[in-house]
Amino acid sequence: MDPITHAASGAVAMLAMPNRPASRWAVPLAALAAASPDVDVLMANTPLQFLLLHRGITHSLFFAPLLGLVLALVGCSLWRAQTPGHWRFAKTWLFMTAMVLLHIWLDCITTYGTMIFLPFSHMRVRLNAVFIIDLLVTLPLLWAIWRWRARRGLLLMAMAWLFVYPGISIGLNAWHTAQTRERLTAEGRAPQEIVVLPDAFSPFFWRALYSEATPNGGMVYTQGMNALGSPRGPEVAATALPESLARDLARQSVVADAFLNFTLLPVVAPLPADMLPADNPQATQAANAPAPSYVMIHDQRFGSSLAIVHKIMNMRPSADIPFKYMAELAPAPQPAESDTLAENSAQESATTAGPIISTIAAFPQRLLRERMRFSDSRRDSFWQAPRPPTTPPLLQWLVGLR
């Protein structure tokens, strides 16, 4: 969720309190507390750090009371004796912790994914209820803040709306998911996985992502839908990332492993020419080795099926696929005795994988170099040798690498 919505939710929560400290800092402190978990972006300098830290430990249910304690200490004007109507320290701590939990809730209802169970699990919770910027969430909050003196009941209604509206959207999501499966089944198709996402201006518009096994290999389809779940616009297809290639990358690189854990129905395509490394592509190869292959991996959850929204998104200063991973690959050396098996694997892959990636999917791949780029945050690792997953198991567990 965007920072304005987070801060506004905290301000509304403080204004809705029946007895609050008579301090001019009360509302700003509540707004700060509700936005504070996003401080994690300040600690992330590289794409990998951003991936592991953003919506990570500061968004953890386990960490929430500790962050609430820090915020209560910062908000000393709310509990010190000189403030008229001051709270007790325990109440201030409880309120600040509630603001952190409110932030976590608003992030969980989006599609990004929030690691609320750290350090015990790196699972990302995404309820796919609202678009990343949803005016039906933000505007009621701003209206309640503006009119809080005239109609204080708006404050309580706005707070309730933060839970009622996402709850309705979660129900609609489940309904649209069932409708999509029924529609595809009636068309004689067999979707393996279906994910319905809110589009801009949800709940009036939605998007469905679904994967299928086809004669040309795995495919991921994107389909826009209206409020009733009926398809709108063309169905867009992309080549699904083969599981074999995903395993090869995750085994060789901690960066690839973290990125693939983040993605939702990842797709793969040849790397565009303007993203290729500027140096000689043979630089990392032996003299008699074939030229490396270059692929780009991403997912399609952050797009939109609405033409006007797509046009606006393309006006961003760094308009591009928001999160993508690029790899320079070469077939891994095969033992001589496995040549026949490799040839059979190549023939099978040519019939089951799409023409774009059939050659790459045919053999185990050696990762030569990698690059991860997050366009909107302007974080770019640039081309570098892969980092093998040699991080100690305890540290991997703590930061959620595995």
Side-chain angles (χ1 to χ4, degrees):
M1 193 61 69
D2 62 279
I4 294 176
T5 304
H6 282 306
S9 68
V12 169
M14 177 60 79
L15 291 171
M17 297 296 291
N19 298 296
R20 63 179 182 274
S23 169
R24 63 180 180 177
W25 295 105
V27 174
L29 284 171
L32 173 65
S36 62
D38 282 341
V39 71
D40 53 18
V41 299
L42 302 178
M43 300 182 288
N45 297 317
T46 67
L48 179 60
Q49 291 174 347
F50 188 88
L51 203 60
L52 298 179
L53 292 176
H54 185 43
R55 298 204 186 183
I57 194 65
T58 60
H59 292 66
S60 165
L61 298 176
F62 177 82
F63 187 78
L66 179 58
L67 182 54
L69 176 60
V70 173
L71 292 167
L73 294 174
V74 172
C76 59
S77 63
L78 301 180
W79 51 265
R80 65 186 178 187
Q82 296 89 340
T83 303
H86 66 87
W87 289 343
R88 300 182 65 175
F89 179 79
K91 183 175 180 179
T92 305
W93 184 5
L94 180 62
F95 178 84
M96 294 301 190
T97 301
M99 294 301 95
V100 175
L101 294 175
L102 179 60
H103 180 111
I104 294 173
W105 163 250
L106 291 177
D107 278 352
C108 284
I109 63 178
T110 66
T111 62
Y112 184 92
T114 308
M115 295 179 280
I116 66 174
F117 300 117
L118 285 177
F120 307 105
S121 170
H122 73 283
M123 183 183 74
R124 293 180 180 269
V125 176
R126 52 175 75 90
L127 299 180
N128 300 332
V130 302
F131 200 61
I132 191 66
I133 297 177
D134 193 318
L135 296 181
L136 290 181
V137 175
T138 308
L139 291 182
L141 295 174
L142 299 179
W143 174 257
I145 293 172
W146 183 40
R147 300 286 294 172
W148 74 273
R149 290 185 184 275
R151 300 184 180 183
R152 298 179 64 86
L154 283 175
L155 298 168
L156 296 177
M157 293 175 60
M159 288 302 298
W161 184 244
L162 292 179
F163 299 91
V164 173
Y165 171 58
I168 294 173
S169 295
I170 291 171
L172 288 173
N173 189 310
W175 179 50
H176 290 325
T177 301
Q179 280 188 309
T180 301
R181 187 173 295 278
E182 291 178 3
R183 174 175 62 82
L184 293 174
T185 301
E187 295 173 357
R189 303 169 67 174
Q192 298 172 320
E193 184 177 355
I194 299 175
V195 180
V196 172
L197 305 172
D199 206 335
F201 307 111
S202 64
F204 306 106
F205 300 100
W206 299 80
R207 296 169 66 231
L209 306 182
Y210 40 93
S211 59
E212 290 184 14
T214 73
N216 292 324
M219 302 294 291
V220 175
Y221 299 92
T222 305
Q223 176 67 69
M225 299 186 300
N226 61 22
L228 299 178
S230 301
R232 54 175 305 277
E235 180 185 67
V236 179
T239 302
L241 177 67
E243 292 185 5
S244 58
L245 179 56
R247 287 193 301 268
D248 288 344
L249 294 173
R251 186 180 65 250
Q252 299 175 70
S253 167
V254 67
V255 175
D257 190 20
F259 183 81
L260 293 175
N261 283 331
F262 168 74
T263 55
L264 182 66
L265 297 181
V267 298
V268 61
L271 187 63
D274 61 342
M275 300 297 293
L276 292 172
D279 61 343
N280 184 352
Q282 295 283 357
T284 57
Q285 295 283 70
N288 59 346
S293 302
Y294 295 91
V295 297
M296 178 177 66
I297 300 169
H298 61 97
D299 64 23
Q300 303 182 92
R301 85 186 100 155
F302 300 108
S304 174
S305 63
L306 303 174
I308 182 63
V309 176
H310 188 70
K311 183 177 181 180
I312 293 173
M313 293 176 68
N314 285 338
M315 294 171 60
R316 303 185 336 261
S318 302
D320 197 358
I321 297 170
F323 303 92
K324 56 181 173 290
Y325 173 86
M326 295 157 273
E328 180 185 75
L329 303 169
Q334 295 293 314
E337 59 271 18
S338 65
D339 285 347
T340 302
L341 180 62
E343 290 177 3
N344 293 336
S345 175
Q347 294 173 359
E348 180 182 356
S349 175
T351 60
T352 60
I356 296 177
I357 57 169
S358 59
T359 303
I360 295 175
F363 302 98
Q365 294 293 311
R366 182 162 60 95
L367 179 60
L368 304 177
R369 288 186 294 179
E370 63 185 354
R371 179 184 181 187
M372 189 158 57
R373 183 171 186 264
F374 298 165
S375 58
D376 289 314
S377 64
R378 294 179 174 82
R379 288 174 171 85
D380 195 330
S381 69
F382 300 101
W383 288 100
Q384 57 184 260
R387 305 179 188 181
T390 55
T391 308
L394 178 60
L395 184 57
Q396 291 187 23
W397 175 70
L398 288 174
V399 301
L401 287 177
R402 294 191 179 279

